Amino acid sequence: MTTKLMGQKVQRTEDQRFLRGQGRYVDDVHADPSTLHAAVLRSPHAHARIVDIDMSDVLDVEGVHLVWTHEDLGSLSPELAEPLPLLIPHPDLTQGRTQYALAREEVNYVGEAVAFVVAEDRYIAEDALDRIKVTWEVLPAVVGIEASRAAEHLVHEDVPDNVGARSEQNTGDVEAALARAPHRLQLELDIERSACTPLEGRGTVARWDADTNRLQVWTSTQTSTGVRAAIAVKLGLDLGQVDVITPDVGGGFGVKVMHPWPEELLVPAAARLLGRTVKFTEDRREHFISSAHERGQVQHIDVGFDDEGRIVGLDVMFWHDHGAYTPYGLIVPIITSTQLLGPYKPEVYRVVFESIYTNTVIVTPYRGAGRPQGCFAMERTMDKIAAYLGKDRTEVRAANFIQPDEFPFDQGLIFQDGRELEYDSGDYPASLEKLKKLIGWEEFPALREELAAQGRTVGIGLACYVEGTGVGPYEGAHVHIETSGKVKVATGLTTQGQGHATVFAQLVADELGVRFEDVEVVTGDTRRMPYAVGTFASRAAVMSGSAIHLAAKRAKEKALRIASDALEVDEADLEIVEGVVRVKGSPESRLDLGTIAVLSNPLRYAFDEASKAATQFAVGDPGKPPVAEDDEPGLEGKDFYSPQRATFASGMHAAIVETDPDTAEVTILKYAVVHDCGHLINPMIVEGQIHGGVAQGIGGALYERMAYDPSGQLLNASFMDFLMPYVTEIPDGIDIDHLETPSPLNPLGIKGAGEAGVIPVSAVVAAAIEDAEGFPITAMPISPSDLHTLRQEHTS
């Protein structure tokens, strides 16, 4: 394959391995009889005090190697007995709380870890759990935002009113703006709790090497370096003693950026103590009741606007259900509060949120990470303004757009990374025009009339969004050219199906002038890249992509410098084509990169014919040191990319839906997406990300919800009861068009794309159903039974 691959639809190199069943996931690591297996006893109660834990029936069970409760952890490491870290502190999070690796005195959600068993196999470990007798004092459970706000009972007795945080941002006097606005409306909206549910749950394997005094950990995570740091701190090890490797990951979607999970500490601690490899693999029910959820919010909106629909004042208050603990800080509600504005520029904006405790599973980012809720709030508001004024919904949006000549545009808020919410580039009017053509906006009235004649009811909806991507603080890359001419690339963030091995190889092949097939990419291995942040917030291409580009550039500069000396020509007269450095216009004067790699490493010993060329009697100027003061051996480049602030992608979705008059079933007939993520590295992979995101968004709009009863029991903790869309529920064709407004903030001009597909789907579907049915849709997801109830209420 030739170079210049940026923007090309290159087939994913990793797919052949997965399609042939050759993927290697955490549960495949150390899958041999010598590996011990761990299991976790979890709380059956949403809120209870632990009166006593009796393990006497477990200790003598054959095959059980270890049983721990919280009181055992302090003897292993004082830090292990302390609460798990609050990963992202914030000054407004005045009542932050995190759980213990194993519950101490009290549990606050069904599924919280209470005891830990390691045995010869998982069967023995699970049987041992059944022998542990816990005496509980059951306490009242606080379930749902309404109960939390009422505060008749407290999740944590030292947190008044169940409020973990209250935060406000504003751009001016919103009350005065609302007072002077010619028109004013209010909305009450509701988004229910959902969850990521990746195909592969969490899993961790650990092995302690007593000879080297090192710990090796394999874990299904979105942040290898974060897990490494947490293990080192909690187990009292030096960072250099811990290696964390992330093998293939069967989906993440945000739940695996949370760290450390209790098992990511307990498994390594057990491996170190026992001197044996220990494995934990989460089962599906465990994932439902003990991994993270997201989405749940209640929103109140007060908006003032003029006769054209331009927003004069926007006042938003919302309540965010963060579950029983706050390990990931306020990231999700901060994103909702800031990204709610989308592509619009209200004259004055104020947002206040309360992040509140409930006796339910913790909340951390789930693909979209607060943006779907913000988009729902803003787009429902736009639709209500249009209906009030009797205007076309696209006209009201266009009246509020930030214009192309206004970039960079500062929204006057602080984003999730602590930096200004300043949009770098975009062209929202152009995106809207593309979307209208793609969905057939102008032609829809005729289609509606045609289908109505057949007794069919259809509606159309649209939604716009802006997505902050590529947040810092940094990512790094190492590019190494082997003496074979092959190129090894390492970056620290992890991969969960995004096609990193393909897109990063495209960047290196372009910059170095090598064959695409000669580039090998490794991610998520702290042995290869010990400094990194992680994969989240649609940041991989922007952050690691930019770092890889810069590292490849450094390697290229060194290759040209060495070749210039060897060929006795100026560097400017050289080019690299198909892995060969040659003189422009004189291609017979050349050196392949493998030979240059040999020359880059002055040798005392020759190991083969090629290495003879780099030995002390073959090369070098006796008047100079073999390695210059400002140089180092090897043909490689290393660099880091750290942006001043995030870059902002954008997009617009539209859908045509049909609602069944008898069953109230909703069918999506057509779906269209216009997306702007700057320059496209690989359009095929971007479109795949959008397709997957739309499918996930449809799940969130029509099917997926976490159903808790008042006692805090999750009623649908299995795939038999938790509804997800099948391929039959996804439109046959999702029409996609791209707009490219390059970002000025990174060397590639790119923006993130990973979460784009999911963000506006609930808003789009709600708008289309509302258009079909003729009454407001204010809560999502919406099921056929929900729609049927709304029909009855509207009729009455």
Side-chain angles (χ1 to χ4, degrees):
M1 188 176 290
T2 59
T3 54
K4 300 307 171 192
L5 299 174
M6 180 81 169
Q8 300 302 308
K9 292 186 174 183
V10 178
Q11 291 281 349
R12 286 168 39 120
T13 59
E14 46 272 84
D15 286 350
Q16 285 299 317
R17 188 164 55 84
F18 292 132
L19 292 171
R20 295 170 189 271
Q22 295 169 353
R24 187 166 175 80
Y25 302 89
V26 165
D27 199 49
D28 298 317
V29 175
H30 285 288
D32 55 76
S34 66
T35 297
L36 301 178
H37 292 261
V40 180
L41 180 69
R42 303 188 183 278
S43 170
H45 302 292
H47 198 191
R49 288 193 183 92
I50 301 171
V51 178
D52 182 62
I53 303 177
D54 182 357
M55 300 186 295
S56 57
D57 289 348
V58 182
L59 300 177
D60 296 328
V61 173
E62 185 176 354
V64 172
H65 289 258
L66 175 152
V67 185
W68 285 339
T69 63
H70 179 270
E71 67 179 22
D72 300 300
L73 302 183
S75 62
L76 301 167
S77 166
E79 284 292 328
L80 191 57
E82 294 298 313
L84 298 179
L86 200 166
L87 294 170
I88 309 176
H90 190 280
D92 291 341
L93 183 55
T94 57
Q95 302 291 340
R97 300 291 183 273
T98 61
Q99 70 186 80
Y100 292 87
L102 293 172
R104 176 178 176 266
E105 298 178 356
E106 183 174 303
V107 292
N108 284 293
Y109 64 92
V110 172
E112 187 166 351
V114 176
F116 181 75
V117 172
V118 176
E120 284 293 326
D121 59 41
R122 184 65 178 260
Y123 300 100
I124 296 173
E126 294 283 355
D127 288 345
L129 294 183
D130 292 337
R131 291 171 174 261
I132 299 174
K133 299 181 178 67
V134 183
T135 303
W136 303 96
E137 179 191 343
V138 179
L139 302 172
V142 178
V143 180
I145 290 174
E146 183 178 350
S148 180
R149 290 178 62 193
E152 293 179 8
H153 304 288
L154 299 178
V155 176
H156 302 283
E157 60 183 15
D158 60 342
V159 177
D161 301 320
N162 293 314
V163 177
R166 180 182 174 88
S167 184
E168 176 178 341
Q169 293 198 64
N170 68 77
T171 63
D173 187 344
V174 74
E175 292 172 354
L178 290 170
R180 71 171 182 269
H183 310 285
R184 189 168 175 178
L185 292 169
Q186 294 186 342
L187 293 83
E188 304 287 339
L189 303 173
D190 192 337
I191 295 281
E192 288 196 41
R193 174 182 280 238
S194 187
C196 301
T197 59
L199 284 176
E200 179 203 33
R202 297 182 294 108
T204 301
V205 179
R207 178 169 64 87
W208 174 258
D209 188 330
D211 294 327
T212 60
N213 209 33
R214 292 181 69 84
L215 180 68
Q216 200 164 43
V217 179
W218 295 260
T219 189
S220 185
T221 183
Q222 293 173 232
T223 173
S224 302
T225 52
V227 173
R228 180 194 190 208
I231 290 172
V233 168
K234 288 294 188 179
L235 299 192
L237 298 170
D238 293 335
L239 197 62
Q241 289 180 273
V242 183
D243 298 323
V244 174
I245 303 107
T246 300
D248 293 326
V249 176
F253 307 117
V255 67
K256 294 176 185 176
V257 76
M258 169 59 202
H259 66 285
W261 292 101
E263 299 84 2
E264 287 176 323
L265 301 176
L266 297 172
V267 169
R272 185 185 183 195
L273 181 70
L274 297 172
R276 297 272 299 274
T277 301
V278 179
K279 175 184 293 188
F280 166 76
T281 303
E282 181 183 63
D283 66 32
R284 183 53 58 183
R285 175 169 170 77
E286 284 183 298
H287 189 81
F288 271 104
I289 66 170
S290 62
S291 292
H293 298 169
E294 214 235 80
R295 300 288 193 252
Q297 289 183 3
V298 170
Q299 304 164 335
H300 173 80
I301 299 162
D302 196 346
V303 61
F305 50 96
D306 65 17
D307 293 342
E308 301 303 314
R310 284 186 290 266
I311 295 177
V312 177
L314 179 63
D315 195 10
V316 177
M317 173 77 193
F318 69 89
W319 294 264
H320 172 74
D321 177 358
H322 62 228
Y325 302 102
T326 56
Y328 214 76
L330 300 178
I331 292 300
V332 172
I334 287 173
I335 293 175
T336 298
S337 67
T338 53
Q339 298 276 256
L340 181 148
L341 292 176
Y344 311 115
K345 50 177 181 179
E347 288 183 28
V348 182
Y349 174 55
R350 178 176 68 181
V351 60
V352 179
F353 70 77
E354 289 185 348
S355 193
I356 57 179
Y357 286 100
T358 59
N359 288 117
T360 56
V361 175
I362 63 171
V363 164
T364 65
Y366 164 29
R367 193 177 194 176
R371 295 177 189 88
Q373 301 95 307
C375 183
F376 187 72
M378 190 75 244
E379 295 303 302
R380 294 279 65 212
T381 300
M382 285 292 175
D383 287 341
K384 189 155 188 174
I385 292 172
Y388 178 90
L389 294 174
K391 287 182 170 293
D392 187 286
R393 288 169 282 173
T394 63
E395 291 179 21
V396 170
R397 286 167 169 83
N400 286 279
F401 278 157
I402 299 162
Q403 296 302 306
D405 61 359
E406 294 182 279
F407 290 97
F409 189 88
D410 189 347
Q411 288 280 22
L413 305 172
I414 300 300
F415 191 41
Q416 61 142 319
D417 56 356
R419 304 301 177 96
E420 294 81 6
L421 186 74
E422 183 176 293
Y423 296 176
D424 49 330
S425 66
D427 189 340
Y428 308 136
S431 291
L432 182 60
E433 288 307 309
K434 280 178 172 284
L435 184 72
K436 289 169 68 175
K437 291 177 182 176
L438 206 58
I439 196 67
W441 188 268
E442 304 295 346
E443 296 78 18
F444 178 74
L447 175 65
R448 188 204 297 270
E449 187 175 335
E450 176 187 337
L451 294 178
Q454 304 171 22
R456 298 170 64 184
T457 303
V458 294
I460 192 169
L462 83 159
C464 311
Y465 67 92
V466 170
E467 178 195 2
T469 73
V471 296
Y474 69 89
E475 286 297 340
H478 179 248
V479 174
H480 176 74
I481 302 171
E482 298 276 3
T483 55
S484 64
K486 303 287 186 182
V487 183
K488 308 289 183 169
V489 181
T491 188
L493 55 66
T494 61
T495 297
Q496 301 90 46
Q498 298 93 332
H500 292 162
T502 302
V503 295
F504 293 159
Q506 288 179 250
L507 296 176
V508 172
D510 271 2
E511 183 60 34
L512 278 182
V514 300
R515 296 194 317 149
F516 173 79
E517 295 86 348
D518 288 340
V519 183
E520 176 189 293
V521 178
V522 172
T523 61
D525 187 337
T526 62
R527 299 169 302 180
R528 298 283 298 275
M529 179 54 67
Y531 294 101
V533 181
T535 303
F536 56 91
S538 301
R539 68 191 298 275
V542 175
M543 299 300 298
S544 276
S546 294
I548 287 169
H549 169 79
L550 295 172
K553 193 171 184 177
R554 285 183 180 271
K556 179 181 180 179
E557 289 169 354
K558 185 169 186 178
L560 293 175
R561 186 173 72 248
I562 295 171
S564 171
D565 290 341
L567 296 174
E568 298 181 337
V569 295
D570 191 270
E571 289 180 37
D573 294 328
L574 296 174
E575 61 183 357
I576 307 178
V577 179
E578 295 288 329
V580 175
V581 181
R582 66 189 190 188
V583 178
K584 297 175 184 176
S586 183
E588 69 279 357
S589 183
R590 55 193 283 163
L591 283 173
D592 63 64
L593 282 174
T595 300
I596 297 172
V598 172
L599 297 176
S600 72
N601 181 25
L603 296 172
R604 182 173 179 84
Y605 308 110
F607 305 105
D608 55 20
E609 288 300 315
S611 61
K612 287 180 181 179
T615 54
Q616 59 200 37
F617 294 108
V619 295
D621 183 342
K624 297 180 181 178
V627 179
E629 289 184 8
D630 59 348
D631 203 357
E632 58 186 31
L635 187 53
E636 56 191 25
K638 185 177 181 179
D639 212 330
F640 289 84
Y641 172 69
S642 180
Q644 183 176 346
R645 59 182 181 275
T647 183
F648 288 85
S650 64
M652 301 179 188
H653 294 202
I656 297 172
V657 308
E658 180 174 4
T659 57
D660 189 282
D662 300 317
T663 66
E665 184 177 1
V666 177
T667 303
I668 298 175
L669 302 179
K670 186 175 183 179
Y671 203 97
V673 176
V674 173
H675 185 246
D676 177 6
C677 62
H679 290 318
L680 299 172
I681 301 174
N682 187 320
M684 182 186 300
I685 286 180
V686 171
E687 290 174 10
Q689 288 286 306
I690 292 172
H691 284 169
V694 169
Q696 210 157 15
I698 290 171
L702 298 176
Y703 304 100
E704 300 172 7
R705 70 180 81 199
M706 291 295 170
Y708 278 97
D709 73 9
S711 69
Q713 296 292 334
L714 185 60
L715 301 178
N716 57 340
S718 76
F719 283 156
M720 291 183 66
D721 303 301
F722 178 79
L723 292 180
M724 294 184 295
Y726 295 166
V727 67
T728 50
E729 279 71 59
I730 306 302
D732 288 339
I734 298 173
D735 298 324
I736 299 175
D737 197 359
H738 298 286
L739 187 73
E740 295 187 40
T741 61
S743 172
L745 301 181
N746 61 74
L748 298 171
I750 59 178
K751 309 173 188 177
E755 297 169 278
V758 75
I759 293 169
V761 181
S762 284
V764 170
V765 172
I769 295 173
E770 182 172 297
D771 185 52
E773 296 287 326
F775 50 77
I777 304 297
T778 59
M780 296 299 271
I782 184 168
S783 67
S785 59
D786 294 331
L787 183 55
H788 177 71
T789 300
L790 288 173
R791 283 173 172 174
Q792 290 182 315
E793 292 173 355
H794 180 66
T795 302
S796 64

